[in-house]
Amino acid sequence: MWLKPEEILLKNAFKLWVTEKDNEYFVLQRRRGYGEGGGGLTGLLVGTLDTVLDSTSKVAPYRILHYTPDSQVYWSIACGVTREEIIQHWDWLQQNIMRTLSVFDSSEDITSFVQGKIRGLIAEEGKSSLVLEDDPEKFREALLRFEKWFELPPQEKLVTYYSCSYWRGKVPCQGWLYLSTNFLCFYSYLLGSEVKLVISWDEIWRLEKTSNVILTESIHVLAHGEDHYFSMLLHLSETFVIMEQLADYAIKRLFDKEAFQRVPALSDPLQITKRGLEAHTKSEQFQTFFRLPKEENLLEVHESYLWVPFSNHNTLGKICLSENYLCFASQDGSQCHVVVPMREVISVEKTDSSSRAIMVCVRGKRALRFSEVRDFQRLANTVRSRCGISASPQHSGSSEGIRGECQSLINHFEDNPEDVTLMVGQKDSSKAVSTEALMTVFHPQDVENLDPKMLKEKMKEQSWNIHFSEYGRGTSMFFTRKTRDLIVRGVPESLRGELWMLFSGAVNDMATHPGYYTELVEQSLGTSTLATDEIERDLHRSLPEHPAFQSDTGISALRRVLTAYASRNPKIGYCQAMNILTSVLLLYAKEEEAFWLLVAVCERMLPDYFNRRIIGALVDQAVFEDLIRENLPQLVEHMTDLSFFSSVSLSWFLTLFISVLPIESAVNVVDCFFYDGIKAILQLGLAVLDYNMEALIVCNDDAEAVTVLNKFFDNVTNKDSPLPPTVQQAPVSNNDKASHISVDICELIREAYEKYGHIRSEDVESSRKRNKLYVIQTLEDTTKQNVIRVVSQEVRLNVSHLDELYNLFKRQHFLCCYWTMNSPALLHHDPSLAYLEQYQLGFQQFSVLFSLLEPWAFCTSKSTLSLWVFRLIDENQDGLINFKEFCCALDTFYSGSFTNKLKFLFKLHLPPAFDLPEDGVIRKSPERGRGKVDLQTYLKQWQNEILRKEETIKDLPRINQSQFIQFSKTLYNIFHGDPEEETLYRAVAHVTSLLLKMEEVGRRLQEPSSPPEATKPARTTTPAAVEESSTTEEASTTPESSDTCSSHSNQEAVSNLTHTEWSFSFEQVLASLLNEPTIVSFFERPVDIQTKLGKARATQLKLTASK
């Protein structure tokens, strides 16, 4: 490998190098302790020194130095892992450089020419792969060590590396941590003791920062039931973040089957870089904080001051720019932020060069003034280009005119706040099926009603109108602490839909997709899928007590929204609890708005909640448990098992407390959720437990605790709700009221914010990532146990063997996904399938795993035979096999009787396994998105499997000429390499001869009564062809005498069968082979399954790398 020329002052520093070749300008050296004469104490010391100092010499013990005769300075220009590699570089220098150097007059010119040439070679090599790395030269050297030490497939992409200590027990090993796309690797070499660790990201259960008495701060990794600790990291936080990002990337790609089509930096696992991961993480945080669509990427960040008119001062913060949005967030503790869609910007002006300020004017007579922007000119031009606008006509005039125009606009807003109008985005830009919120239809407000509740409602509306006049209204409204205070006190019924749209970011989705919902409704109208069937069953279970859903109007709207979303996102389709949430959304938002609110909740605010495994809800339950331990220690002391709270709080998270609270109280919780996200739900959950602390502590069992919480929720009221009794849920009985004091929802929410408002959204997201690994691995482990329980009833393999086989099978499934986004496992993944079908192998993956676990050493036709096995066990012929099918085949090979093994081999040479296309390509493959699942078909198939009789040998069809010839070849291949190979070959030849003679006798007995067949165009096979085919393998490996003897006997036996069709039954083949004890003993020889599994585990990755 060519190296960036580096100066070396001492040619033989510490006598660590030995010169092997030299000439006038170059010298080739070998590291002491390597190659001939290596080892011993010198080798140990040198190897340890190289590893600790991260020397390239550890993996590249050969190097080439450049020097000139009149200089004492040497330059390293190349290194090599093997002598052959370094000799290639040496020869290249001899042929291409040495002749040229003679024309130079000075040593400086020679050295300058050599350095330039070497740099040119390095630049040419690294054009494609290293251009995105921060330090390509050092990265090339690290990549060399990574490839040499771990022997991973060449396409595995190294992301970054760090020096650290790895703790084995209480002893630290100083070495290097390498983080690649799919693996966490560590290498250390100290005084002859080599430590090598390779863990795939999909096998990690825990990844967290920890500290204890011995380790001040370290990174803890739990995988395969073993704890691994890494410490002494110079940048521990940075290392942990990268590890967290890679683990999250692996989880999303391998378990969630996410293709990252909209994220170019992550769309190709062969091109993942540290820079790309960091950019994606920042974009995710940007999207989450400002509630923006997933398509938005953080492009630029500028530090600046923003003039806030309601406070009359400049607030320090950062401008964040994406493709379609300009956002600002304060950093001075004011918790002020604003989102400006580019579509709302009408002009961008540079008002004052001295203060480096720009003015962004938006529709609705609003203007935002940013000052002290370092690169304000470029920012202004960027915003203009993204908005599709040019500088205003005044821009060509004097700067005084520009400043005067903008200043007058600002003064107008300060003096006339009532002129602030509704922003675009609230306008009805697309046609919806229903244009009114259901609450407006079924509970119109009575303007003349002056009861106390309605007066309180009017006061709330007035408070919000004042807020709008000061902070703006619509998409460009300022979000501050005061906004949150108003949310906590309660949102007026008339503004709820508008504010939900604004806080969730759904207003932007709807504005940028006009007509999208109407198209979805029309497309999904009348379709019949599994999702639509489930939706129909749940329609009348959605808020059945509310008048809106006792009529066709509400039910039809609910049906349209749920069906349209199922059509938009087939990956989620429809899941339980979506009907309850959508019902509440429809009460306060128009139908199209309710659809976009549902999109925001399912795809951004509650990721992974609404799928078959509700992973997101389980993750947030784990986060909730962590918060209980931190904030409610008294409760933890009395209830050490917090899993109870996980089970009881599941509905809290899935329905945002809608299913446990009266509807008039639950909507207040939804208000807080749309503003603060999951943090609001976690805070309220803690407040509920804190309020019932004393009652929960004295509970004797879980059932009593559930009763306590249910009674509490029944007594939660909303004293300010203007809803009539027909809409509100029925109150509890008088007896219950006497024993339980009612709690106002506003007071409960206020208490939750006061006590637990210190919980930061960033900490919640970090806890989510940490717990997601454990939740997914726990679900995977449960799936494995279920699969093993089912499969163990079908096979003779014990549970421990099945456990290891499952791990191998699953890993092989993932190996085909590691380095591509287009593997069959990803393209054909269907999360709606049963757990037994979740992991399946295509033929290529199967052939690799089968070659590791096959009991016999197959010869030249190994790939052909594995294809036949694959076709035979692929019962539904979809081009994929599941774990059960794979285990049943191995069980026959490992534990089956002689008859069963022979029957399996016999069936390999019958259709459908044997009758294949000439190219052996699998034609049929499953389609992604299977549409409606016919449950009746599944039940019928299940019933047939139960009633299906075991196949007997009499049920097998006869084997014809070509099939029998191939069957004989297969037996020869199976016996290849066996100690008794020659005896087994002779036995097969004898059986073949015997079967042919039996067929001849049968033909002769039937000749008198058989009609003449002279005119019948029968398939013909000459005896010579039969014998030549059946003994091809034998002739190449057995003595000539045995081949000649068996050949003559078989040719004589089939001399009269030249022009006739012949075939054999399985009974004939079985009876003939049973007469050969050597063959019977070969097939009945026990297989050391544990050894097979151990070797497969050790070589699976290497074999995949060599494919």
Side-chain angles (χ1 to χ4, degrees):
M1 181 178 75
W2 298 109
L3 301 175
K4 179 182 178 181
E6 290 187 1
E7 186 177 320
I8 296 176
L9 297 178
L10 296 175
K11 175 182 175 183
N12 288 315
F14 304 105
K15 302 295 182 182
L16 297 178
W17 293 90
V18 179
T19 300
E20 295 204 340
K21 285 187 177 186
D22 62 356
N23 57 34
E24 189 177 357
Y25 298 109
F26 301 100
V27 56
L28 189 154
Q29 295 185 327
R30 172 178 55 83
R31 188 76 162 173
R32 287 189 182 275
Y34 298 89
E36 298 178 4
L41 181 60
T42 303
L44 293 178
L45 293 175
V46 173
T48 300
L49 184 65
D50 290 341
T51 302
V52 173
L53 298 180
D54 189 32
S55 171
T56 307
S57 307
K58 173 63 183 174
V59 291
Y62 296 92
R63 72 178 181 180
I64 297 176
L65 304 179
H66 162 67
Y67 72 103
T68 53
D70 56 349
S71 174
Q72 295 297 316
V73 178
Y74 289 75
W75 300 84
S76 64
I77 61 173
C79 67
V81 177
T82 63
R83 183 176 178 80
E84 291 74 16
E85 180 185 356
I86 204 69
I87 288 296
Q88 286 182 359
H89 288 351
W90 179 265
D91 292 341
W92 188 90
L93 291 171
Q94 293 287 93
Q95 297 169 11
N96 298 278
I97 300 295
M98 285 300 294
R99 296 177 184 177
T100 310
L101 296 183
S102 60
V103 303
F104 292 100
D105 297 329
S106 66
S107 300
E108 290 80 4
D109 292 342
I110 292 174
T111 300
S112 178
F113 174 78
V114 171
Q115 291 179 353
K117 199 71 175 175
I118 299 302
R119 287 193 177 97
L121 291 172
I122 292 173
E124 196 65 30
E125 288 179 357
K127 263 184 181 179
S128 58
S129 59
L130 303 176
V131 67
L132 297 177
E133 304 302 338
D134 294 332
D135 191 341
E137 299 301 330
K138 289 186 178 179
F139 197 86
R140 287 175 76 250
E141 298 178 15
L143 182 60
L144 175 69
R145 295 190 293 271
F146 175 73
E147 292 173 348
K148 175 66 176 178
W149 283 338
F150 303 108
E151 299 178 338
L152 294 172
Q155 60 266 41
E156 179 63 17
K157 176 68 173 65
L158 176 64
V159 176
T160 188
Y161 59 99
Y162 300 94
S163 173
C164 72
S165 289
Y166 169 61
W167 290 78
R168 302 182 70 185
K170 296 183 179 180
V171 181
C173 302
Q174 184 64 32
W176 290 86
L177 179 68
Y178 293 86
L179 307 178
S180 67
T181 305
N182 298 295
F183 299 96
L184 179 155
C185 306
F186 176 83
Y187 184 86
S188 173
Y189 182 89
L190 294 173
L191 298 176
S193 175
E194 185 180 57
V195 178
K196 190 182 296 185
L197 181 70
V198 178
I199 302 173
S200 58
W201 295 112
D202 57 88
E203 297 171 338
I204 293 179
W205 284 63
R206 288 280 188 193
L207 178 62
E208 56 193 354
K209 287 193 286 188
T210 60
S211 60
N212 53 43
V213 178
I214 300 176
L215 303 176
T216 306
E217 197 171 16
S218 63
I219 296 176
H220 171 222
V221 177
L222 174 63
H224 301 296
E226 298 180 5
D227 293 300
H228 307 276
Y229 292 91
F230 302 92
S231 65
M232 309 274 300
L233 285 149
L234 184 61
H235 305 288
L236 187 138
S237 295
E238 175 191 311
T239 308
F240 177 75
V241 169
I242 293 294
M243 294 171 70
E244 198 174 51
Q245 291 167 350
L246 286 169
D248 186 60
Y249 177 63
I251 290 295
K252 289 180 178 178
R253 190 163 57 90
L254 301 177
F255 291 100
D256 299 341
K257 310 301 181 186
E258 189 171 331
F260 294 95
Q261 295 176 349
R262 296 173 178 172
V263 189
L266 303 183
S267 60
D268 184 0
L270 304 182
Q271 301 297 329
I272 300 299
T273 63
K274 177 182 173 184
R275 188 184 305 173
L277 286 169
E278 291 173 344
H280 177 62
T281 300
K282 289 178 181 177
S283 293
E284 281 190 328
Q285 294 170 350
F286 168 69
Q287 296 161 10
T288 301
F289 183 81
F290 292 107
R291 304 284 167 78
L292 299 178
K294 287 187 175 182
E295 296 81 10
E296 298 301 313
N297 296 297
L298 181 60
L299 303 178
E300 298 179 18
V301 178
H302 301 268
E303 192 170 278
S304 74
Y305 286 91
L306 171 65
W307 172 257
V308 284
F310 50 85
S311 301
N312 291 318
H313 77 280
N314 287 312
T315 181
L316 176 65
K318 289 186 177 180
I319 300 173
C320 300
L321 200 66
S322 70
E323 290 88 347
N324 300 295
Y325 296 89
L326 184 151
C327 307
F328 177 87
S330 66
Q331 293 180 295
D332 58 1
S334 63
Q335 298 180 8
C336 169
H337 72 272
V338 62
V339 179
V340 181
M342 296 292 188
R343 65 182 184 273
E344 303 294 319
V345 178
I346 56 177
S347 68
V348 180
E349 306 295 345
K350 293 174 285 187
T351 59
D352 187 359
S353 299
S354 61
S355 61
R356 295 175 295 182
I358 65 171
M359 184 77 72
V360 178
C361 300
V362 298
R363 292 192 178 112
K365 298 181 180 179
R366 295 278 311 283
L368 302 173
R369 183 178 185 274
F370 300 97
S371 59
E372 300 300 330
V373 183
R374 178 175 297 178
D375 198 353
F376 71 103
Q377 292 184 350
R378 187 170 69 87
L379 176 61
N381 293 333
T382 302
V383 176
R384 284 197 195 105
S385 64
R386 295 200 172 277
C387 296
I389 58 177
S390 57
S392 66
Q394 293 89 342
H395 187 60
S396 58
S398 65
S399 59
E400 291 296 328
I402 298 172
R403 283 197 294 270
E405 174 94 6
C406 295
Q407 190 61 46
S408 63
L409 188 60
I410 293 175
N411 294 336
H412 174 78
F413 293 144
E414 292 176 349
D415 298 336
N416 303 282
E418 66 277 2
D419 285 352
V420 178
T421 59
L422 184 65
M423 304 295 296
V424 172
Q426 297 298 318
K427 67 180 182 179
D428 187 13
S429 59
S430 59
K431 295 180 180 179
V433 178
S434 177
T435 57
E436 294 294 335
L438 294 180
M439 193 64 76
T440 306
V441 177
F442 288 89
H443 177 49
Q445 289 191 9
D446 187 358
V447 181
E448 298 180 357
N449 187 354
L450 298 178
D451 65 25
K453 290 186 177 181
M454 286 304 301
L455 288 175
K456 191 97 179 250
E457 187 76 2
K458 293 295 182 183
M459 291 174 62
K460 285 183 183 179
E461 291 180 11
Q462 185 63 26
S463 298
W464 275 97
N465 287 329
I466 295 173
H467 183 80
F468 291 148
S469 66
E470 293 180 359
Y471 298 89
R473 185 172 186 174
T475 51
S476 299
M477 185 178 83
F478 285 95
F479 295 84
T480 65
R481 279 202 190 98
K482 189 174 180 181
T483 312
R484 179 181 282 114
D485 293 340
L486 287 174
I487 291 289
V488 171
R489 279 185 276 173
V491 174
E493 298 281 318
S494 59
L495 297 176
R496 187 159 272 137
E498 175 187 338
L499 293 176
W500 285 359
M501 290 288 289
L502 179 63
F503 297 151
S504 66
V507 62
N508 293 314
D509 292 325
M510 180 172 161
T512 54
H513 295 82
Y516 177 77
Y517 173 68
T518 306
E519 292 177 6
L520 276 182
V521 171
E522 292 174 353
Q523 291 173 8
S524 59
L525 194 65
T527 59
S528 179
T529 64
L530 179 61
T532 57
D533 290 347
E534 293 176 346
I535 289 171
E536 289 298 326
R537 284 198 298 270
D538 287 348
L539 284 176
H540 295 279
R541 304 174 188 171
S542 310
L543 300 184
E545 72 284 348
H546 198 285
F549 299 101
Q550 296 170 359
S551 70
D552 185 63
T553 303
I555 294 296
S556 297
L558 181 60
R559 178 187 293 111
R560 286 191 294 268
V561 172
L562 291 175
T563 306
Y565 186 78
S567 177
R568 166 189 167 87
N569 193 344
K571 185 177 179 181
I572 292 178
Y574 170 79
C575 294
Q576 293 291 329
M578 287 176 66
N579 60 319
I580 298 175
L581 176 61
T582 308
S583 301
V584 175
L585 298 178
L586 282 168
L587 290 178
Y588 294 97
K590 300 174 184 178
E591 187 175 319
E592 184 178 6
E593 293 175 342
F595 170 79
W596 288 112
L597 285 169
L598 184 63
V599 169
V601 172
C602 294
E603 298 177 14
R604 291 201 302 271
M605 303 187 72
L606 295 179
D608 297 327
Y609 260 62
F610 301 99
N611 54 37
R612 296 292 173 182
R613 300 197 293 180
I614 56 171
I615 291 175
L618 297 177
V619 169
D620 283 342
Q621 283 182 304
V623 175
F624 188 49
E625 286 186 20
D626 291 343
L627 291 174
I628 292 174
R629 293 187 184 93
E630 294 175 12
N631 296 280
L632 301 174
Q634 186 179 356
L635 187 62
V636 175
E637 290 177 6
H638 289 79
M639 301 184 71
T640 54
D641 184 12
L642 298 183
S643 60
F644 160 73
F645 296 112
S646 295
S647 59
V648 77
S649 65
L650 181 61
S651 62
W652 304 357
F653 291 99
L654 282 174
T655 66
L656 309 179
F657 282 92
I658 296 172
S659 63
V660 294
L661 286 174
I663 184 63
E664 66 274 10
S665 300
V667 290
N668 286 44
V669 179
V670 179
D671 296 338
C672 299
F673 167 75
F674 277 123
Y675 190 84
D676 274 321
I678 194 62
K679 173 177 173 284
I681 305 301
L682 294 169
Q683 289 175 176
L684 185 60
L686 291 173
V688 168
L689 296 181
D690 188 16
Y691 194 94
N692 294 277
M693 176 88 71
E694 295 180 1
L696 291 172
I697 288 175
V698 298
C699 289
N700 297 317
D701 52 35
D702 292 351
E704 192 174 343
V706 170
T707 303
V708 169
L709 292 175
N710 286 340
K711 287 183 178 180
F712 169 78
F713 287 128
D714 289 339
N715 285 273
V716 175
T717 61
N718 187 348
K719 62 183 181 182
D720 297 331
S721 175
L723 298 180
T726 55
V727 173
Q728 297 187 24
Q729 292 184 6
V732 294
S733 64
N734 293 331
N735 293 334
D736 288 340
K737 281 189 174 181
S739 57
H740 291 84
I741 302 174
S742 62
V743 180
D744 183 63
I745 186 63
C746 292
E747 291 298 320
L748 185 63
I749 291 175
R750 183 184 57 78
E751 186 176 342
Y753 272 91
E754 287 179 356
K755 287 188 175 182
Y756 308 108
H758 62 274
I759 298 173
R760 299 169 63 246
S761 298
E762 295 82 357
D763 295 334
V764 171
E765 289 300 320
S766 177
S767 183
R768 272 179 162 180
K769 289 183 178 179
R770 183 176 65 253
N771 284 288
K772 185 176 182 180
L773 291 172
Y774 185 79
V775 167
I776 285 184
Q777 295 293 3
T778 302
L779 291 173
E780 289 293 309
D781 192 62
T782 303
T783 298
K784 178 172 74 172
Q785 301 305 324
N786 290 334
V787 170
I788 290 175
R789 185 178 67 252
V790 171
V791 175
S792 63
Q793 300 173 7
E794 306 286 335
V795 299
R796 289 172 288 269
L797 296 167
N798 61 45
V799 174
S800 63
H801 290 160
L802 286 174
D803 187 279
E804 291 196 47
L805 272 175
Y806 185 89
N807 293 334
L808 289 169
F809 190 89
K810 178 180 172 182
R811 193 180 197 194
Q812 192 65 44
H813 166 89
F814 281 154
L815 284 174
C816 71
C817 310
Y818 276 170
W819 302 287
T820 178
M821 289 293 190
N822 299 318
S823 66
L826 290 174
L827 296 176
H828 300 149
H829 176 71
D830 187 350
S832 66
L833 292 176
Y835 52 79
L836 194 60
E837 307 286 342
Q838 286 297 302
Y839 296 117
Q840 302 182 86
L841 300 182
F843 170 66
Q844 295 298 329
Q845 294 76 44
F846 167 80
S847 61
V848 173
L849 189 57
F850 183 70
S851 65
L852 292 170
L853 297 170
E854 60 193 8
W856 308 302
F858 295 123
C859 192
T860 54
S861 61
K862 180 184 294 188
S863 60
T864 305
L865 192 62
S866 63
L867 179 60
W868 296 342
V869 174
F870 181 83
R871 284 297 182 87
L872 180 61
I873 64 179
D874 182 17
E875 295 181 358
N876 59 357
Q877 296 187 4
D878 63 350
L880 298 169
I881 63 164
N882 59 37
F883 182 67
K884 180 181 177 181
E885 294 168 337
F886 182 75
C887 285
C888 289
L890 279 185
D891 183 58
T892 301
F893 286 143
Y894 287 161
S895 309
S897 63
F898 172 74
T899 302
N900 286 336
K901 290 177 181 178
L902 189 64
K903 183 169 72 171
F904 191 93
L905 293 173
F906 188 86
K907 290 170 68 175
L908 289 181
H909 301 85
L910 296 171
F914 188 70
D915 287 349
L916 304 175
E918 292 183 1
D919 57 2
V921 176
I922 297 172
R923 301 299 181 191
K924 184 179 178 183
S925 61
E927 296 181 0
R928 192 171 188 179
R930 298 165 186 253
K932 184 176 181 180
V933 179
D934 192 342
L935 299 179
Q936 295 297 328
T937 303
Y938 272 125
L939 291 173
K940 190 173 181 179
Q941 181 181 353
W942 181 48
Q943 184 180 16
N944 292 337
E945 288 180 359
I946 295 175
L947 300 176
R948 184 174 57 187
K949 296 180 180 179
E950 185 177 353
E951 185 181 50
T952 64
I953 59 176
K954 293 183 178 180
D955 297 328
L956 295 174
R958 297 174 70 86
I959 194 169
N960 63 30
Q961 297 171 6
S962 60
Q963 294 166 352
F964 178 74
I965 292 171
Q966 189 58 55
F967 177 75
S968 301
K969 286 184 178 181
T970 300
L971 291 178
Y972 287 138
N973 289 324
I974 289 175
F975 302 147
H976 177 70
D978 191 84
E980 299 181 5
E981 181 178 356
E982 182 179 343
T983 306
L984 290 166
Y985 278 3
R986 290 181 177 178
V988 172
H990 182 263
V991 168
T992 305
S993 175
L994 179 61
L995 287 170
L996 293 173
K997 288 179 179 179
M998 291 170 58
E999 182 65 19
E1000 178 189 8
V1001 172
R1003 291 287 180 183
R1004 288 179 176 176
L1005 291 175
Q1006 294 179 6
E1007 277 179 2
S1009 58
S1010 299
E1013 299 183 8
T1015 60
K1016 184 179 179 181
R1019 291 170 58 188
T1020 61
T1021 305
T1022 64
V1026 173
E1027 189 51 40
E1028 182 181 355
S1029 299
S1030 62
T1031 59
T1032 300
E1033 299 297 334
E1034 175 189 3
S1036 62
T1037 54
T1038 59
E1040 185 179 347
S1041 58
S1042 64
D1043 177 56
T1044 305
C1045 177
S1046 61
S1047 177
H1048 283 306
S1049 62
N1050 288 343
Q1051 288 177 17
E1052 292 174 1
V1054 297
S1055 59
N1056 294 322
L1057 301 179
T1058 304
H1059 300 289
T1060 58
E1061 279 285 351
W1062 48 268
S1063 62
F1064 300 111
S1065 67
F1066 177 72
E1067 294 97 318
Q1068 291 175 302
V1069 177
L1070 176 62
S1072 302
L1073 289 174
L1074 284 173
N1075 290 324
E1076 298 295 335
T1078 54
I1079 295 179
V1080 175
S1081 62
F1082 173 83
F1083 280 107
E1084 291 184 343
R1085 188 184 305 164
V1087 179
D1088 189 348
I1089 302 175
Q1090 194 60 45
T1091 302
K1092 275 281 181 187
L1093 294 173
K1095 289 182 179 178
R1097 189 169 55 252
T1099 58
Q1100 185 179 25
L1101 190 58
K1102 293 181 180 179
L1103 186 60
T1104 302
S1106 65
K1107 290 291 181 180

